[in-house]
Amino acid sequence: MSVRNAPRLPLISLLMIHGVSSADWGVSYSPSHICALKHSSVIMSCSYTYPTGYKIEKVFWTRNPEQGKEPPDLSKDPEYSQRLQYLGDKQQNCTIRLSHVTQKDQHKYCFRFITVNDKWIGTPGVTLTVTDLQVEAPESVKEGQNINLTCKSSCALTDRATFIWYRNSQPFTERRDGNNQLLLQSVRREDAGRYSCALHGHTYISPAAQLTVTFHPGADRNVIVITATSGGLFIIIIIIIIIWFIMCVQL
Ligand SMILES: *[C@@H]1O[C@H](CO)[C@@H](O)[C@H](O)[C@H]1NC(C)=O
Ligand SMILES: *[C@@H]1O[C@H](CO)[C@@H](O)[C@H](O)[C@H]1NC(C)=O
């Protein structure tokens, strides 16, 4: 499926047929590599040129074009038809929007335009990579320590992102500078909980990572582990047992 080494056949054939300058025919994409967050919408910015006097008959996008095969129109593909929106025109703008991207959409996308007698495909196209987010955090931290939580993506996100942090599903803080780290200084028991991260303006939220805060450092056998989800219940049960114990003793 790779088109990386495919010779630029359309260019050669056009040169032979018309003897035109290759600079006249072309498609440019900016950027040509996109790292997008899962479930987000991606704009593939694109423009195309051809010698004056040609009339564009048909424009469409395709993916992973193969040499010698007529590339299919993606908007006719049921996997894409609902999510693909052509924002360009039939003159020079071939920008497209693909919404709700998933890992299955990781391909090379190319624009094709057809005039009365000629066809052109803009290879190598736009390479789309789709990432999710993962919180990287130490599982357990001692009270008073400093720790960094990191919101990791598998590729460097193309859009400059504002990271939002959640603790126990509640919005907690934001990082507007594109920094994907959250520094927790002098960790307290209240900092324990389930941490997840997201990007501002996006619906996708990372899976949660559990942060456990231990105290009484050093006395390992007596370490009491408090977690935000079970901590409260744990304390209540202890209190009930103590009260029950005192009442039994008094009887
Ligand atoms: C192409 O069209 C898109 C969507 O309408 C627009 O945002 C973009 O500015 C246009 N690009 C050019 C070079 O005109
Ligand atoms: C957290 O990250 C910042 C920036 O990368 C770094 O300067 C700092 O030393 C880190 N702190 C800890 C406790 O890892």
Side-chain angles (χ1 to χ4, degrees):
M1 291 291 272
S2 170
V3 293
R4 209 170 301 150
N5 300 318
R8 298 180 144 232
L9 270 188
L11 173 65
I12 294 161
S13 59
L14 277 165
L15 281 172
M16 288 192 300
I17 296 164
H18 298 285
V20 296
S21 150
S22 66
D24 291 342
W25 294 84
V27 181
S28 63
Y29 307 95
S30 113
S32 55
H33 286 78
I34 296 179
C35 167
L37 182 65
K38 191 175 172 176
H39 300 165
S40 68
S41 286
V42 173
I43 303 269
M44 299 184 197
S45 271
C46 168
S47 62
Y48 60 113
T49 54
Y50 44 91
T52 48
Y54 284 80
K55 189 174 180 304
I56 303 301
E57 298 262 290
K58 196 175 172 202
V59 293
F60 65 91
W61 281 71
T62 191
R63 62 170 205 201
N64 311 330
E66 284 176 77
Q67 216 186 321
K69 264 194 188 173
E70 182 53 30
D73 179 349
L74 267 191
S75 68
K76 303 268 176 4
D77 182 331
E79 272 188 44
Y80 286 89
S81 56
Q82 299 298 308
R83 300 185 293 131
L84 204 61
Q85 194 183 359
Y86 189 70
L87 305 174
D89 51 38
K90 276 191 164 182
Q91 276 91 48
Q92 53 168 2
N93 192 334
C94 41
T95 301
I96 205 168
R97 180 198 286 130
L98 179 61
S99 50
H100 211 80
V101 295
T102 64
Q103 262 90 358
K104 269 166 64 187
D105 296 324
Q106 301 190 124
H107 299 288
K108 284 172 193 256
Y109 293 88
C110 297
F111 175 68
R112 183 159 184 69
F113 63 97
I114 297 173
T115 65
V116 179
N117 294 311
D118 305 284
K119 295 172 174 189
W120 187 269
I121 185 152
T123 53
V126 180
T127 305
L128 177 64
T129 313
V130 178
T131 181
D132 56 7
L133 299 173
Q134 298 286 341
V135 173
E136 239 182 35
E139 265 176 36
S140 170
V141 56
K142 291 200 178 97
E143 225 179 352
Q145 280 185 326
N146 297 338
I147 53 157
N148 277 327
L149 306 185
T150 308
C151 186
K152 285 204 94 168
S153 52
S154 61
C155 51
L157 289 156
T158 301
D159 285 337
R160 197 170 167 76
T162 294
F163 286 88
I164 304 174
W165 286 90
Y166 293 83
R167 183 168 65 201
N168 300 323
S169 306
Q170 298 299 311
F172 172 60
T173 188
E174 280 190 13
R175 294 298 310 254
R176 274 192 197 83
D177 50 6
N179 186 335
N180 65 342
Q181 285 195 315
L182 174 68
L183 177 61
L184 295 180
Q185 276 176 309
S186 187
V187 167
R188 293 172 302 163
R189 273 178 251 172
E190 304 89 270
D191 292 322
R194 293 162 51 77
Y195 285 84
S196 45
C197 63
L199 291 186
H200 189 76
H202 294 270
T203 50
Y204 173 82
I205 298 183
S206 77
Q210 179 75 46
L211 180 72
T212 301
V213 178
T214 60
F215 57 104
H216 298 317
D220 276 352
R221 236 185 293 157
N222 299 323
V223 162
I224 298 172
V225 177
I226 301 283
T227 67
T229 43
S230 63
L233 193 61
F234 183 69
I235 291 171
I236 290 167
I237 291 171
I238 298 272
I239 291 169
I240 289 169
I241 291 172
I242 292 169
I243 291 170
W244 175 77
F245 186 73
I246 291 168
M247 286 169 69
C248 284
V249 169
Q250 283 174 348
L251 282 177

